[in-house]
Amino acid sequence: MGFFLTIEGVEGAGKTTAKAVVLRWLQECGHEFIATREPGGTPLAEQLRALVLGEHEEQVSDTTELLLMFAARSQNLSERIEPSLAAGKVVVCDRFTDATYAYQSGGRGIDEQRIAVLEQLVQGDRRPDMTLLLDVAPEVGLARARGRATAEGGELDRIEQEAIEFFHRVRSVYLQRAARFADQYVVIDASQSVANVEQQIVGALQARLG
Ligand code: T5A
């Protein structure tokens, strides 16, 4: 019944780059797949993404941010993820609920039990079959994200503008979850060169799906 693969990490860890590697490998191996991202993935969920990552004149409360992440997720699940898994496809998702634990619990300080309640409400028993965690020091990731934003003439979004301590807490929760859910997580050393990171990813895919 399909295979649900998610890609996680702090800003600029290389998730977009990794996703391209995963999709190319799936294509070459003849797997049927779809690619999606969170927050986002459907027209409505992409509107929620723009809302939650955008700047506002008022303060966005932590609970509002949390609920918008799960609202977008609910839509992506019902419209794209669940139908694709039911059709036997591999679903590749750039971030999922592990990001909520890392950012809204680790980063913002929301009690993880509150996130667990929403996780169950929105997803039932659905959890990723495999998570590639691109692990890199936040200083390195943010420098990459800034470099890309400058090259593309873009700007850092609302969350990317948080203080460095925020991203250290995010990374720390990711690593704690990787240790706790060792069957789900594969930790990739994303401080390495693009070629080396690609090699680690392909090795992980061959071990699980090859
Ligand atoms: N969020 C999301 C929550 O708070 N809660 C949630 O529940 C969810 C789902 C979403 C934001 O929303 C938050 C987290 C985020 O703040 P996003 O779209 O996932 O944001 O985007 P970012 O995390 O900001 O990801 P980026 O697109 O900035 O970074 P990527 O995709 O990790 O990195 P990538 O591949 O674009 O690479 C960045 C730059 O580095 C280079 C690339 O060429 C690029 O220029 N690069 C490398 N350079 C050297 N060595 C390597 N190994 C490199 N890999 C990539």
Side-chain angles (χ1 to χ4, degrees):
M1 287 292 282
F3 190 86
F4 188 23
L5 191 160
T6 59
I7 305 175
E8 300 280 0
V10 295
E11 336 294 305
K15 295 178 302 300
T16 309
T17 311
K19 189 155 127 183
V21 171
V22 171
L23 299 184
R24 196 170 62 237
W25 185 86
L26 290 172
Q27 178 98 47
E28 283 168 7
C29 295
H31 288 284
E32 274 199 84
F33 61 89
I34 67 146
T36 185
R37 68 171 182 178
E38 295 213 348
T42 82
L44 174 55
E46 289 290 329
Q47 287 186 43
L48 292 168
R49 176 190 178 92
L51 271 180
V52 72
L53 297 184
E55 297 286 355
H56 300 278
E57 283 178 14
E58 63 199 295
Q59 181 78 25
V60 178
S61 86
D62 293 350
T63 304
T64 301
E65 182 178 274
L66 173 68
L67 291 172
L68 284 171
M69 293 296 177
F70 270 107
R73 181 161 301 136
S74 171
Q75 195 62 18
N76 196 22
L77 272 165
S78 64
E79 284 294 302
R80 299 202 65 210
I81 296 175
E82 290 298 352
S84 301
L85 291 173
K89 296 180 185 172
V90 179
V91 172
V92 181
C93 194
D94 185 342
R95 297 194 185 279
F96 195 63
T97 307
D98 290 274
T100 315
Y101 282 102
Y103 283 78
Q104 278 65 53
S105 179
R108 301 282 187 224
I110 294 177
D111 185 340
E112 69 167 23
Q113 286 311 316
R114 302 182 81 182
I115 296 174
V117 168
L118 290 170
E119 181 179 39
Q120 195 58 35
L121 174 76
V122 169
Q123 300 165 218
D125 292 334
R126 176 63 65 201
R127 301 290 181 273
D129 295 303
M130 179 180 188
T131 296
L132 296 174
L133 172 60
L134 295 156
D135 180 52
V136 74
E139 289 83 354
V140 175
L142 283 168
R144 287 181 190 166
R146 279 195 201 98
R148 199 202 49 200
T150 306
E152 293 175 357
E155 285 175 10
L156 296 182
D157 65 39
R158 190 175 60 79
I159 294 179
E160 284 168 338
Q161 293 173 34
E162 287 294 333
I164 193 73
E165 295 75 25
F166 176 93
F167 298 103
H168 280 291
R169 294 196 297 275
V170 168
R171 183 193 192 190
S172 162
V173 169
Y174 271 135
L175 289 172
Q176 284 165 25
R177 290 181 68 76
R180 183 167 157 202
F181 302 106
D183 290 348
Q184 173 192 333
Y185 270 84
V186 177
V187 181
I188 305 288
D189 179 359
S191 68
Q192 303 289 314
S193 67
V194 172
N196 185 294
V197 169
E198 175 166 348
Q199 221 172 31
Q200 295 178 63
I201 292 169
V202 169
L205 292 172
Q206 279 167 343
R208 280 300 294 271
L209 285 163

